[in-house]
Amino acid sequence: MSKKWTVHILNAGQLYGQQMIRLNPATVKALKLPDTLSLHFGSQKHTVQIHSTPKQTGIGIPASLASQLGLKQGMTVCGKYKARTNSLHIGPLIAVMMSRTYAAEGQPFASNTAFCEELSEAIRMRGGVVYFITPSNIEKRSHSIQAKFYQNGWKSGTFPLPDAVYNRLTSRRYEGMRAVKQFIHETKQRGFHVFNEKYLDKTEVFSTLYKDALVHKYMPESHLFKNFTMLKHMLSRHRTVYLKPISGSLGKGIIRITKASANKYVCHTSSVNRASRTEYVRLTKCFAAIAGKLKSRKYQIQQGISLITVGGRPVDFRALVQKNNTGKWRVISIVARIAGSDHVVSNLARGGTLSKVTYALSHSNLPSSLIARVSSGLKQAAVDISASLEKHLEEHFAEFGVDLGVDTSGKVWLIEVNSKPSKNEGTQLSENRIRPSVRKMVQYIHFISGY
């Protein structure tokens, strides 16, 4: 049994003692609280006395104790009493790891600031405290940590170490820092949770999923690219192949090669500002033109899919899949992404546009008799793939962005999986202040934290 309370900071004139908290008698009775217990908030714990006060609303905490805990007037927390350990736990306390802060007034996390504010509001409404930290904060931490938090504007504060950590780092370099890895390790050692704890590169995703027969039907042929012989072999098996940086995002650096005829290979590349198309009479010449790129980073080579099209433009589907309030994978949303003209991929950053799934399917070259089956098949594929990754990976994940394609026969294919799905791409197509995906994330945080 847990209760949701608003925090009220007590001044010296309202106190009987500095290590005392005030609660309404009905709350004390409902939770069966003793006179003295251990108060826990994140990594902090203090022995406190319970003072029952009829007029008290929420939870009254002395200013000195609130300062040590990082609690502010008007914050909300949930409370649960554990009789076995005689401890009252308030929280949950959540830390979100962000890559860096920015100097822009009111926009400490640039384009991700709106999401951070949305998450803060959703947690406040349900009960709990969230703060946002960067690798710089983590490096300087001790038993507490400096952080940003949102409460009627952005502020800085000091907080205990958290009950749960949500990894939103968007750089593999930051994830690899010793301080960050140690912070994650210590959080898990304390028995708390870290989710979406690392990036998954394309090779890891496909090699992991190939272990599971349940998802083989969704899998295109895909390998870590090695050499020209592999390219030649793949093009002997598939008319089109894609070369994708294994750690790339937003469609950056993707190369598409199509065998148009016995003596013609068409190579498409895409950048932020433009797309290019070049024809070659021999595959060796095509390979020579792109060899410099292929040596500069690791690539995955993948079977090309004859995707359905809308207005002649390929369309794929982004499913956001999350753990729900009982820890089960559920599809929160699926949107169609229609590629921009002449672009290799459908990402919004490359000129793609969003549409609803029903619109895209009904306006595509997919036979109308297949629309209902494909629509449900997309959801099933997204859940199956997410569950398979969880089954075979050691790390803890709570959400995936699963990119899927559909060919003209109605078969659903996996394109790729993103373990750090974008929060400012607008993929929910919702005008609500708090999106369903954010609400679901908060519900899952309460679930794993036991509130």
Side-chain angles (χ1 to χ4, degrees):
M1 179 182 183
S2 64
K3 294 281 189 179
K4 175 185 168 183
W5 298 314
T6 299
V7 173
H8 297 281
I9 308 299
L10 306 177
N11 59 46
Q14 298 173 293
L15 301 179
Y16 292 94
Q18 294 298 317
Q19 297 298 101
M20 175 274 297
I21 61 174
R22 295 198 326 194
L23 291 166
N24 187 278
T27 298
V28 174
K29 181 179 180 180
L31 294 180
K32 300 179 180 178
L33 300 180
D35 293 337
T36 303
L37 49 73
S38 178
L39 178 69
H40 292 243
F41 183 57
S43 61
Q44 287 260 2
K45 59 181 180 180
H46 298 265
T47 300
V48 298
Q49 292 183 328
I50 301 296
H51 184 65
S52 181
T53 305
K55 294 183 179 181
Q56 181 67 50
T57 58
I59 181 171
I61 301 180
S64 58
L65 178 58
S67 177
Q68 294 178 65
L69 297 175
L71 289 169
K72 311 297 180 186
Q73 178 74 20
M75 285 181 168
T76 62
V77 292
C78 293
K80 60 177 181 179
Y81 176 64
K82 295 183 178 180
R84 184 175 59 84
T85 56
N86 189 31
S87 55
L88 178 62
H89 296 252
I90 58 174
L93 179 62
I94 306 104
V96 181
M97 291 196 296
M98 306 293 288
S99 292
R100 54 170 294 192
T101 55
Y102 295 79
E105 182 69 27
Q107 296 287 317
F109 302 108
S111 60
N112 284 303
T113 300
F115 163 71
C116 296
E117 293 176 1
E118 184 181 8
L119 179 62
S120 299
E121 176 65 8
I123 289 174
R124 183 198 66 78
M125 291 172 63
R126 190 174 175 92
V129 176
V130 59
Y131 60 82
F132 301 84
I133 53 176
T134 66
S136 176
N137 300 129
I138 293 169
E139 285 182 316
K140 299 171 185 176
R141 72 185 174 90
S142 55
H143 297 297
S144 59
I145 192 164
Q146 284 284 331
K148 293 282 188 184
F149 70 99
Y150 185 79
Q151 187 183 21
N152 300 317
W154 283 100
K155 303 176 177 68
S156 297
T158 302
F159 295 89
L161 302 181
D163 299 320
V165 176
Y166 179 19
N167 182 359
R168 288 297 305 173
L169 294 175
T170 54
S171 164
R172 289 167 176 82
R173 178 172 63 87
Y174 288 139
E175 282 193 344
M177 291 174 61
R178 175 181 290 184
V180 172
K181 293 167 76 172
Q182 184 65 22
F183 177 63
I184 290 174
H185 174 74
E186 288 181 10
T187 301
K188 294 164 73 172
Q189 284 291 102
R190 288 170 44 235
F192 295 116
H193 301 273
V194 181
F195 57 91
N196 284 50
E197 57 185 285
K198 73 167 190 176
Y199 262 110
L200 295 175
D201 67 42
K202 295 175 178 63
T203 300
E204 185 174 13
V205 166
F206 278 86
S207 62
T208 298
L209 292 173
Y210 279 136
K211 298 174 184 176
D212 194 340
L214 176 67
V215 297
H216 280 182
K217 59 187 175 182
Y218 307 122
M219 306 294 290
E221 185 176 2
S222 185
H223 309 279
L224 178 64
F225 181 75
K226 294 181 179 179
N227 50 37
F228 173 77
T229 301
M230 179 177 278
L231 175 61
K232 184 178 179 180
H233 175 72
M234 284 288 285
L235 280 167
S236 72
R237 294 168 57 81
H238 310 290
R239 181 173 178 267
T240 298
V241 298
Y242 283 83
L243 288 156
K244 303 178 179 181
I246 67 168
S247 58
S249 61
L250 302 177
K252 296 176 183 177
I254 292 179
I255 301 166
R256 183 178 71 201
I257 302 174
T258 300
K259 186 177 181 180
S261 66
N263 297 308
K264 185 166 78 172
Y265 294 87
V266 181
C267 181
H268 288 84
T269 61
S270 184
S271 65
V272 175
N273 299 317
R274 67 186 184 87
S276 66
R277 178 185 186 277
T278 309
E279 295 184 6
Y280 300 92
V281 295
R282 288 193 297 273
L283 185 58
T284 52
K285 288 185 175 291
C286 176
F287 182 72
I290 61 175
K293 289 183 179 181
L294 300 179
K295 289 179 181 178
S296 65
R297 60 199 302 193
K298 291 183 178 180
Y299 276 74
Q300 187 84 356
I301 187 167
Q302 188 170 313
Q303 168 190 349
I305 309 301
S306 297
L307 298 176
I308 59 173
T309 59
V310 174
R313 299 181 180 186
V315 58
D316 66 19
F317 302 87
R318 162 62 64 91
L320 180 61
V321 192
Q322 292 179 320
K323 294 279 192 72
N324 67 6
N325 60 350
T326 61
K328 304 297 184 184
W329 288 106
R330 294 289 184 268
V331 173
I332 305 304
S333 66
I334 303 185
V335 294
R337 303 186 303 181
I338 303 169
S341 58
D342 299 322
H343 273 277
V344 177
V345 294
S346 60
N347 300 71
L348 300 188
R350 301 291 177 268
T353 56
L354 293 177
S355 85
K356 293 185 177 180
V357 173
T358 50
Y359 174 90
L361 293 177
S362 62
H363 287 75
S364 73
N365 56 340
L366 181 72
S368 59
S369 60
L370 299 178
I371 290 176
R373 177 169 66 82
V374 167
S375 183
S376 62
L378 287 166
K379 294 180 181 179
Q380 189 62 54
V383 170
D384 287 347
I385 289 164
S386 299
S388 180
L389 286 171
E390 178 186 36
K391 176 182 176 182
H392 294 287
L393 293 170
E394 294 180 0
E395 294 82 11
H396 179 178
F397 294 91
E399 65 178 350
F400 291 116
V402 181
D403 292 347
L404 301 165
V406 177
D407 66 24
T408 51
S409 71
K411 178 175 171 58
V412 176
W413 296 86
L414 172 65
I415 297 175
E416 63 183 52
V417 178
N418 188 342
S419 59
K420 304 289 182 72
S422 172
K423 298 301 179 183
N424 55 18
E425 194 180 55
T427 53
Q428 304 286 345
L429 296 181
S430 171
E431 295 180 357
N432 295 331
R433 185 180 181 189
I434 298 177
R435 291 168 288 180
S437 62
V438 177
R439 294 184 191 277
K440 293 294 183 185
M441 180 59 66
V442 173
Q443 290 173 12
Y444 181 66
I445 289 168
H446 274 74
F447 169 71
I448 61 175
S449 302
Y451 286 94

